[in-house]
Amino acid sequence: VLCIAGSMRVAIILPWVGGAMPPHLSFTCHTMIGGLGTATLLLFHEVTQKQSVPEACLARSNIEVRELQDGGIAALHVRRIAEATGSLSRVWNVDMQLKLERLLQIAPALLSEFKPSWGWVFGEYLYEYSHWTYTDVDIVFGRLDDWLGGVELDRYDIQTWSFLGDAGRLFLRGQWALHKNEQRINLLWLNCGHLNEDLRINIEAKLQFYQDMLESKNSHRLKLLYRKRMTTAALPLDESGLHECSVHTGRFISAEGCYSCVVISSSLAAALDLRVRISPLVLSDHSDVPVFWFRGSLVRCINHWNSKRGTCGEALRAWKHIRANYTMRAYRSPETPINAVFKRAIVIHDCFNMRWICRSARRAALHALVDKLELGGHFKPLGQEKIVLLRPGKELLPKATLVMTPMIKPSVSIQIIEAPLFHFRKWVDYGRWHPTSLDKNMPPVIFSVKSSGFVCLQRQRT
């Protein structure tokens, strides 16, 4: 038995390897208060990172912090993958464990490549949960309880949340991809060669590359040569069709690439009749507009017409008054609105707008477009609020159905948008980010996130 029957219980899986945990993880843990009724964060780390685990992660009741021995996360991946693939040779296991452990020491970010397998790899920790998802450390959660559950709980095998206005690009997002906790779903990753029969080649190729990087005096030139060599080696495999969703394993493998192909556009997806839902619910860091967290609610203030009439402060105060009058689950849910309109979309291959996925799995670069004039041939991207429902179709292209709710254009210049998730990776990597830890003695009840970092606006009174 993989999970217990009843209401939705979600495991959010987050393993950490490498150096110390980032200070902003304390805010990720603090905001898990919005999921007390439905979600638990499973934070895995090794002994080396013990001192860097934020106090906020240890204090929250719906966070489980699991400590493994140094090298334990690599060992767990190798052992569980070997069990699934039948590669149970002790020599194979020891050799692969040492190589994966070394690779994750040099390039910890490559752990994300294994995200599709985490429902299986961490399966022994998931017996209590009906669903699981992977996530990232650069996340702020909103009121997860208001978006999880409902009568549509069992209608979809996988539900992923995209940025607002980006549901038309048909791939599973690395920040949130909610899976049913069932063995047929948890083993889908076996159909990606780089995690199965080609795992050794995959790990050895990347390990050699990063070791060469450490020794090279011209890392940029080495990257170009490496990419050219791997692309050349991959072309014959792509053209021969030997791998339905995978390409040559030495090439960089996007965590979303091969797996999205398996789930959305493979013969296996058709055989299992997989149902997938893509909902535009994530606030993006592609805009510099700040995000506010108010007692569990995650919101962004949008000025539609750059109007000088009214301010975000006034709009937020009005929103807080309205929000306070809603009970849990009454404000918003993932269920299809009564007045929704359903419309078929056209699905095309689109490597231009999905280059990073195309580099690792061409067939995963799918885009759903809407017919602008309903005359054919005049297609445009989806609107901000459109949801996409997917099921297998002919010629391994999925059938995409748009769920559209009639929208009234805002009559005011200032709009408040509430969401369950905010991803701020770009701000950390490319902005004016100042690392900040949450004060464990005076946790904030209101804070903002800007491109420069977290700002506490009101602290909890003692």
Side-chain angles (χ1 to χ4, degrees), residues 145-213:
D145 288 342
D146 289 359
W147 272 271
L148 297 175
V151 297
E152 297 185 356
L153 168 66
D154 292 321
R155 192 167 295 176
Y156 307 101
D157 298 297
I158 299 177
Q159 302 181 52
T160 191
W161 293 347
S162 75
F163 290 141
L164 295 177
D166 194 37
R169 295 197 292 179
L170 308 181
F171 67 96
L172 303 184
R173 272 55 175 188
Q175 297 79 40
W176 188 274
L178 193 64
H179 296 64
K180 283 185 178 179
N181 189 18
E182 299 176 359
Q183 183 160 307
R184 70 185 184 99
I185 304 297
N186 294 350
L187 289 175
L188 288 172
W189 58 272
L190 282 172
N191 295 274
C192 287
H194 70 285
L195 297 176
N196 190 344
E197 68 270 15
D198 293 330
L199 179 63
R200 177 190 290 275
I201 301 173
N202 181 24
I203 291 176
E204 289 177 348
K206 290 184 172 63
L207 185 57
Q208 184 63 55
F209 168 69
Y210 281 101
Q211 287 176 337
D212 290 346
M213 283 279 290

Side-chain angles (χ1 to χ4, degrees), residues 24-36:
H24 57 250
L25 181 60
S26 58
F27 286 87
T28 303
C29 289
H30 179 64
T31 57
M32 276 297 298
I33 192 173
L36 285 172

Side-chain angles (χ1 to χ4, degrees), residues 110-153:
L110 288 182
L111 182 60
S112 65
E113 189 174 305
F114 292 84
K115 280 181 176 181
S117 70
W118 286 355
W120 172 260
V121 169
F122 296 99
E124 60 196 63
Y125 301 95
L126 302 181
Y127 288 107
E128 316 179 2
Y129 301 98
S130 64
H131 293 73
W132 64 272
T133 180
Y134 37 72
T135 195
D136 293 327
V137 295
D138 32 38
I139 292 291
V140 172
F141 294 109
R143 293 187 181 271
L144 291 175
D145 288 342
D146 289 359
W147 272 271
L148 297 175
V151 297
E152 297 185 356
L153 168 66

